[in-house]
């Protein structure tokens, strides 16, 4: 057993290791709420609308979907016949994997009826959630009066608010403590669920904060933006990473994500300055080059007529990028499968396994030595650690030899990595801590970006209209040249596509915290040592906040409006978290995914491959597909580039694939300079 010290860790080892089990059990528990769920219909290429249903009259939810989060399955007919009970999560696709709508779904009358019912249901639901109907039982004289006032519309609401302030009460008689609503259920066995889906169902029923209880232990599930803001920003000091830190300790040690308290403060202060503007601008070039390598790979597949599994390719793309960006290491995983790449994936899968395994076998000392999987994970981790130590040593020597003066926007052109910045800054830190931080950033910046690209391309495969608009923007702004930092401001629609993809598929879908002291969440007092899940999934799909919450609609974000973030969306939108522990790589990641999307969409058309397995969700650290994202990639017939005064054209044979005209493609700014040519990257 690992030794745990300090008040946060006390008595928690055993339980923390049960987290995965608890998550797993939670799914199981919810599954039994509907004792005999209907078996899933076979995947249908003719329809992909997955609908979730629940009985509006019963506090007990029914989860027919729990046996499948397929984006391509038809609802069980027994539920279809009850349209008033219908709740459609359109996010789970409105067309089939090959883009063909299902029979009957095209019928305008059916669609209209569905739309009206859906709107009615949502309005009722929103009103019930807003009135606190799902959240708590009110009592006391003022509650009765307030309840009457709330029915009088806006003037009544105003009076209700006034009354609350005057009485200073929350509607409960004196001495009676508010209790956080409890989700109920019984244990059962439903494995392999994306656990945030049942949490959404419970949110709809129990409201923005509720308690999930399992025997002696419980979790608070938060889906209310005001409470999320309180935990993440306003009173962030009262919360730690709790269980997350315990699970990730073996791989991230005391790296920035799991670290808490003073250790976190010191490391954050050291690392954030490394991602300065000049560094991010240099990274755009790196994103372009890596995406170009992926284009070449896809070009070969398109020519050969081979389908490709995009999720693993995106994973390799982002691994190549983050290795170079963080510690100047060329994984080159898009080209080779070498030992270190395999080691990274072994460790990542081990981390994910630990967060979904019912029994913490890795805690049993002897098991570590005899289990082949454990031994493989230990060996892989050693290989990565040795490689990192080696890179740190090489970088130290480089820094000692260079004559660059360190300043705010310091960057070594040959090695612009974060590691180089940290060492040059004189960061006084042990090699172990540095390694932990590098490893943390490797993982944080790899899986997340890969997942964003995966789900973006999945969403795009169902929305040809969005793809057409994207291509139009990329054609007019980029053509075939590599993107620059200036282009990031201009690729507005592409950015909105990423913003919207992050809304529908937040990575990670849940943020984890533990209270370090007693606090009040909303109107509920809580004790210290509460484990809390902030469901970003629920916040991002809350029907009260979002119009047509489950639709992929980049247009919901105006092109001339600000870039959506947690501040301007008042914590209803948290793609990169919020408060002091907000992602340090938000700009990096946004640009990375914008560049990759723009370059790929410019050159290829992507469709779900014929006969591809249904796209279902599963959770590790981020949302994965269960069976990959198999796509057919074809060369796009590109429009000719119309030259204008501001743009030097590097290539004009627009409808040829990239690698057939390599001489016209600029690899990097420095190469262009060497060749003495004008770099478009530097054009005003
Ligand atoms: C699209 C890609 C990404 C997404 C969606 C994402 C999302 C997030 C979120 C939601 C958090 C907050 C976690 C919490 O509050 O518990 C976070 C933290 C963090 N992210 Fe990212 N991230 C992405 C890319 C990156 C990249 C590229 C890097 C590194 C270059 C990075 C480094 C970090 C670090 C170090 C933290 C911890 C910050 C702290 O605790 O102070 N992330 N990320």
């Amino acid at each position: 057993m690992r030794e745990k010290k300090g008040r946060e860790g006390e008595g928690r080892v055993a339980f923390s290791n049960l987290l995965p089990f608890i998550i797993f059990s939670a799914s199981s528990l919810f599954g039994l709420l509907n004792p005999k769920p209907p078996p899933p219909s076979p995947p249908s290429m003719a329809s992909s609308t997955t609908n979730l249903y629940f009985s509006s009259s019963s506090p007990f939810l029914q989860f027919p979907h729990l046996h499948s989060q397929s984006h391509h399955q038809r609802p069980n007919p027994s539920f279809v016949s009850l349209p008033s009970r219908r709740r459609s999560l359109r996010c789970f696709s409105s067309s089939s994997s090959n883009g063909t709508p299902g029979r009957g779904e095209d019928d305008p009358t059916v669609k209209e009826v569905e739309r009206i019912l859906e709107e009615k249901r949502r309005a009722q639901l929103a009103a019930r959630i807003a009135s606190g109907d799902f959240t708590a039982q009110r009592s006391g004289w003022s509650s009765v009066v307030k309840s009457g006032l709330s029915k009088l519309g806006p003037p009544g609401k105003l009076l209700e608010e006034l009354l609350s302030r005057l009485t200073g009460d929350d509607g409960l008689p004196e001495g009676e403590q508010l209790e956080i609503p409890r989700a109920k259920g019984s244990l059962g066995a439903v494995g392999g669920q994306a656990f945030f889906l049942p949490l959404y169902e419970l949110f709809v029923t129990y409201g923005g904060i509720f308690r999930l209880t399992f025997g002696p232990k419980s979790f608070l599930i938060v889906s209310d933006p005001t409470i999320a803001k309180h935990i993440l920003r306003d009173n962030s000091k009262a919360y730690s990473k709790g269980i997350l830190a315990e699970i990730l300790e073996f791989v991230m040690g005391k790296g920035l994500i799991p670290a808490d308290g003073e250790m976190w403060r010191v490391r954050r202060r050291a690392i954030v300055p490394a991602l300065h503007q000049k560094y991010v601008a240099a990274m755009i070039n790196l994103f372009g080059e890596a995406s170009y390598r992926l284009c070449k790979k896809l070009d070969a597949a398109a020519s050969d007529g081979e389908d490709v599994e995009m999720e693993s390719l995106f994973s390799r793309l982002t691994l190549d990028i983050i290795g170079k960006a963080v510690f100047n290491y060329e994984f080159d995983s898009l080209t080779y499968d070498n030992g270190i790449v395999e080691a990274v994936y072994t460790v990542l899968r081990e981390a994910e396994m630990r967060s979904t395994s019912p029994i913490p076998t890795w805690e049993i000392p002897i098991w570590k030595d005899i289990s082949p999987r454990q031994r493989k994970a230990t060996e892989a981790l050693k290989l990565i650690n040795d490689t990192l130590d080696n890179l740190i040593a090489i970088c130290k020597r480089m820094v000692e030899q260079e004559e660059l003066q360190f300043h705010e926007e310091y960057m070594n052109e040959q090695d612009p990595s974060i590691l180089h910045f940290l060492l040059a800054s004189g960061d006084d830190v042990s090699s172990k801590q540095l390694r932990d931080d590098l490893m943390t950033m490797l993982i944080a910046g790899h899986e997340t970006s890969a997942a964003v690209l995966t789900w973006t391309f999945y969403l795009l495969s169902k929305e040809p209209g969005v793809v057409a608009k994207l291509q139009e923007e990329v054609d007019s702004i980029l053509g075939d040249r590599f993107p620059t930092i200036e282009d990031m401001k201009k690729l507005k629609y592409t950015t909105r596509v990423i913003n919207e993809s992050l809304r529908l598929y937040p990575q990670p879908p849940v943020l984890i915290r533990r209270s370090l002291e007693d606090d009040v969440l909303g109107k509920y007092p809580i004790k210290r040592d509460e484990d809390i899940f902030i469901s970003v999934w629920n916040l991002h799909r809350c029907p009260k906040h979002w119009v047509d919450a489950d639709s992929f609609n980049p247009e919901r974000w105006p092109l001339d409006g600000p870039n959506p973030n947690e501040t301007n969306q008042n914590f209803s939108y948290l793609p990169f978290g919020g408060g002091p522990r907000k992602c340090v790589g938000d700009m990096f990641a946004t640009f990375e995914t914008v560049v990759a999307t723009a370059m790929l969409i410019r050159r290829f058309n992507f469709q779900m491959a014929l006969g591809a397995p249904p796209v279902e969700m599963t959770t590790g650290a981020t949302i994965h597909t269960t069976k990959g994202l198999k796509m057919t990639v074809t060369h796009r017939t590109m429009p000719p580039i119309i030259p204008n005064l501001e743009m030097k054209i590097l290539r004009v044979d627009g409808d040829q694939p990239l690698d057939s005209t390599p001489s016209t493609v600029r690899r990097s700014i420095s190469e262009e300079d060497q060749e003495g040519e004008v770099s478009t990257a530097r054009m005003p």
Side-chain angles (χ1 to χ4, degrees):
M1 284 269 173
R2 262 176 302 157
E3 193 191 348
K4 296 277 149 188
K5 291 201 183 107
R7 70 176 183 167
E8 225 206 297
E10 275 166 25
R12 292 212 154 259
V13 180
F15 175 71
S16 75
N17 295 331
L18 283 179
L19 167 76
F21 171 67
I22 285 159
I23 293 170
F24 177 83
S25 302
S27 315
S28 312
L29 179 148
F30 307 140
L32 262 213
L33 294 172
N34 182 18
K36 282 190 185 161
S41 319
S44 157
M45 293 303 283
S47 166
S48 64
T49 307
T50 297
N51 297 295
L52 309 181
Y53 302 87
F54 69 99
S55 157
S56 54
S57 59
S58 164
F60 291 95
L61 300 169
Q62 301 182 354
F63 295 107
H65 69 293
L66 276 180
H67 286 253
S68 165
Q69 291 113 37
S70 168
H71 295 217
H72 300 282
Q73 288 179 341
R74 291 192 70 78
N76 184 288
S78 63
F79 289 87
V80 179
S81 62
L82 295 169
S84 63
R85 290 165 60 163
R86 174 173 179 157
R87 192 168 64 76
S88 160
L89 277 188
R90 281 269 156 196
C91 56
F92 295 142
S93 118
S94 53
S95 62
S96 70
S97 58
N98 60 3
T100 320
R103 242 186 334 144
E105 288 186 350
D106 263 354
D107 184 332
T109 323
V110 173
K111 274 192 165 170
E112 186 55 14
V113 170
E114 279 185 356
R115 193 187 57 76
I116 293 167
L117 286 171
E118 180 68 12
E119 269 174 18
K120 192 173 160 208
R121 189 202 62 76
R122 280 180 187 277
Q124 283 171 345
L125 187 64
R128 291 184 71 191
I129 292 173
S131 71
D133 205 8
F134 289 110
T135 314
Q137 288 298 313
R138 292 184 177 197
S139 60
W141 69 269
S142 59
S143 290
V144 177
V145 177
K146 281 194 261 174
S147 157
L149 289 173
S150 69
K151 290 179 184 135
L152 299 176
K157 275 265 168 231
L158 213 70
L159 287 170
E160 189 193 355
E161 181 68 33
L162 204 66
L163 186 63
S164 293
R165 290 192 183 185
L166 283 175
T167 57
D169 91 353
D170 49 26
L172 286 176
E174 213 174 306
E176 192 178 310
Q177 255 219 336
L178 272 172
E179 208 195 320
I180 296 176
R182 276 172 196 271
K184 307 180 192 93
S186 57
L187 278 169
V190 182
Q193 300 304 317
F195 72 91
F196 51 84
L197 287 179
L199 295 189
Y200 180 86
E201 297 300 312
L202 291 171
F203 154 56
V204 170
T205 305
Y206 292 98
I209 177 164
F210 62 90
R211 184 182 292 283
L212 268 179
T213 307
F214 304 91
K217 185 60 202 171
S218 71
F219 289 89
L220 294 180
I221 313 297
V222 169
S223 317
D224 176 309
T226 314
I227 301 178
K229 181 162 49 173
H230 176 82
I231 297 170
L232 295 176
R233 196 189 70 185
D234 300 342
N235 199 22
S236 62
K237 284 201 178 98
Y239 295 88
S240 74
K241 290 286 178 96
I243 292 161
L244 187 78
E246 289 162 9
I247 291 178
L248 294 178
E249 206 235 342
F250 88 101
V251 51
M252 293 189 188
K254 298 267 179 268
L256 198 54
I257 285 188
D260 279 315
E262 191 51 24
M263 169 71 81
W264 166 77
R265 240 180 307 282
V266 170
R267 295 316 299 150
R268 175 118 187 164
R269 230 177 276 144
I271 290 169
V272 167
L275 288 104
H276 53 69
Q277 192 91 21
K278 195 171 158 200
Y279 168 80
V280 175
M283 289 301 106
I284 306 284
N285 218 32
L286 171 68
F287 304 155
E289 293 195 352
S291 302
Y292 174 61
R293 282 200 296 275
L294 178 55
C295 284
K296 283 177 75 173
K297 222 177 161 79
L298 293 180
D299 185 38
S303 302
D304 299 347
E306 273 175 22
D307 291 336
V308 280
E309 203 287 279
M310 291 303 296
E311 187 173 30
S312 60
L313 287 178
F314 284 138
S315 179
R316 285 162 185 270
L317 169 74
T318 58
L319 179 64
D320 288 357
I321 288 174
I322 204 77
K324 207 69 185 126
V326 173
F327 37 74
N328 195 30
Y329 186 77
E330 197 80 69
F331 282 108
D332 212 359
S333 70
L334 274 168
T335 320
Y336 313 103
D337 253 336
N338 55 36
I340 185 78
V341 171
E342 203 191 308
V344 170
Y345 283 111
T346 302
V347 169
L348 283 173
R349 297 291 88 85
E350 177 66 18
E352 286 188 347
M353 188 284 300
R354 290 186 183 197
S355 61
T356 49
S357 166
I359 303 165
T361 47
W362 57 93
E363 293 290 355
I364 307 166
I366 189 143
W367 190 250
K368 276 186 201 153
D369 304 322
I370 55 171
S371 153
R373 205 204 62 229
Q374 290 293 324
R375 286 220 314 265
K376 195 174 169 201
T378 310
E379 278 162 24
L381 198 55
K382 183 168 179 327
L383 177 62
I384 299 171
N385 283 341
D386 290 349
T387 309
L388 287 178
D389 284 343
N390 199 23
L391 289 169
I392 293 171
I394 293 171
C395 193
K396 270 186 182 155
R397 282 200 294 277
M398 274 178 85
V399 170
E400 278 160 19
Q401 282 160 16
E402 77 188 8
E403 283 168 12
L404 279 173
Q405 199 66 29
F406 186 81
H407 58 98
E408 232 179 39
E409 292 231 306
Y410 163 91
M411 196 180 78
N412 180 309
E413 301 277 346
Q414 271 75 53
D415 171 12
S417 70
I418 293 177
L419 170 62
H420 202 112
F421 179 96
L422 290 176
L423 290 174
S425 71
D427 187 21
D428 184 19
V429 71
S430 70
S431 288
K432 161 87 175 81
Q433 180 60 47
L434 199 51
R435 214 174 59 194
D436 286 350
D437 286 330
L438 299 178
M439 192 72 172
T440 299
M441 279 184 279
L442 172 72
I443 295 177
H446 167 221
E447 294 270 275
T448 42
S449 300
V452 172
L453 285 168
T454 300
W455 292 106
T456 301
F457 275 72
Y458 169 69
L459 289 164
L460 289 175
S461 74
K462 295 181 288 135
E463 296 293 344
V466 174
V467 175
K469 280 182 83 170
L470 255 182
Q471 285 174 331
E472 199 184 312
E473 178 176 91
V474 177
D475 289 345
S476 68
I477 289 169
L478 282 187
D480 282 335
R481 65 185 173 79
F482 276 82
T484 63
I485 187 81
E486 285 79 27
D487 295 320
M488 296 303 102
K489 277 184 239 123
K490 297 179 196 154
L491 289 167
K492 290 185 176 182
Y493 191 70
T494 317
T495 309
R496 294 295 172 256
V497 166
I498 298 297
N499 300 145
E500 181 68 347
S501 166
L502 267 166
R503 186 184 68 79
L504 284 173
Y505 294 95
Q507 315 291 348
V510 165
L511 302 178
I512 298 176
R513 293 291 188 274
R514 180 179 293 155
S515 58
L516 295 169
E517 53 194 56
D518 294 359
D519 196 8
V520 178
L521 295 183
K523 53 189 170 187
Y524 302 108
I526 64 155
K527 295 276 173 216
R528 120 180 194 206
D529 271 349
E530 289 272 19
D531 283 307
I532 300 169
F533 288 179
I534 299 170
S535 173
V536 185
W537 177 277
N538 290 354
L539 286 163
H540 285 193
R541 290 184 183 239
C542 173
K544 185 180 157 197
H545 185 81
W546 305 96
V547 177
D548 221 353
D550 304 321
S551 304
F552 176 53
N553 178 21
E555 278 73 14
R556 77 173 70 241
W557 309 106
L559 287 188
D560 52 0
N563 210 25
N565 60 33
E566 78 287 0
T567 310
N568 58 35
Q569 297 302 309
N570 214 1
F571 279 70
S572 285
Y573 179 67
L574 296 174
F576 295 103
R581 304 219 56 163
K582 184 176 173 176
C583 179
V584 301
D586 57 344
M587 200 194 283
F588 179 111
T590 306
F591 292 167
E592 177 187 20
T593 46
V594 163
V595 167
T597 304
M599 287 182 69
L600 292 176
I601 223 77
R602 158 81 181 157
R603 290 161 181 94
F604 303 102
N605 288 315
F606 295 84
Q607 282 174 305
M608 291 302 295
L610 220 67
V615 180
E616 297 174 6
M617 290 183 287
T618 179
T619 31
T622 55
I623 309 174
H624 295 288
T625 70
T626 49
K627 293 184 187 136
L629 183 68
K630 200 146 191 219
M631 299 190 113
T632 302
V633 183
T634 46
H635 288 127
R636 179 176 165 234
T637 307
M638 289 185 272
I641 300 170
I642 315 285
N644 66 42
L645 288 174
E646 287 173 24
M647 192 164 105
K648 288 247 173 189
I649 305 303
L650 292 175
R651 52 168 293 219
V652 286
D653 46 351
D655 54 356
Q656 294 300 308
L658 249 181
D659 73 343
S660 66
T661 55
S663 61
T664 57
V665 174
R666 298 300 106 206
R667 298 305 310 273
S668 68
I669 297 173
S670 52
E671 271 184 29
E672 282 165 23
D673 287 347
Q674 278 165 23
E675 289 163 24
E677 294 180 16
V678 179
S679 157
T680 50
R682 289 187 179 165
M683 294 300 288

